[in-house]
């Protein structure tokens, strides 16, 4: 028997953040950690942050570099 716990609501607080070029050269992007989720954010033309990708790690992320 295998049990899996999946919360109904994603975490909303950001515990860690790092910026850099992750998906393309010369693109400024931010990776944030929300609980066990990693989210890639990219600013659009108006300067608002848009979510590009979200991945659940199924573990607690304690540090990001």
């Amino acid at each position: 028997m295998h049990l899996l716990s999946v919360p109904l609501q994603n975490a909303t607080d950001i515990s860690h953040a790092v910026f850099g070029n992750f998906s393309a050269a010369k693109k400024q992007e931010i990776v944030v950690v929300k609980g066990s989720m990693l989210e890639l954010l990219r600013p659009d033309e108006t300067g608002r942050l848009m979510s590009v990708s979200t991945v659940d790690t199924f573990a607690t992320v304690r540090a990001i570099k």
Side-chain angles (χ1 to χ4, degrees):
M1 173 195 285
H2 299 286
L3 299 175
L4 176 66
S5 173
V6 179
L8 297 176
Q9 201 170 30
N10 291 335
T12 58
D13 61 329
I14 296 174
S15 60
H16 297 83
V18 64
F19 68 94
N21 306 356
F22 301 106
S23 64
K26 308 248 180 180
K27 288 279 189 183
Q28 292 296 318
E29 297 164 329
I30 301 170
V31 172
V32 295
V33 176
K34 296 179 179 181
S36 66
M37 305 286 286
L38 292 174
E39 185 173 7
L40 179 66
L41 303 170
R42 183 182 302 155
D44 63 1
E45 295 82 22
T46 62
R48 299 179 70 188
L49 290 176
M50 304 301 289
S51 179
V52 176
S53 177
T54 304
V55 176
D56 193 357
T57 61
F58 298 107
T60 302
V61 179
R62 296 183 184 215
I64 188 170
K65 293 183 181 185

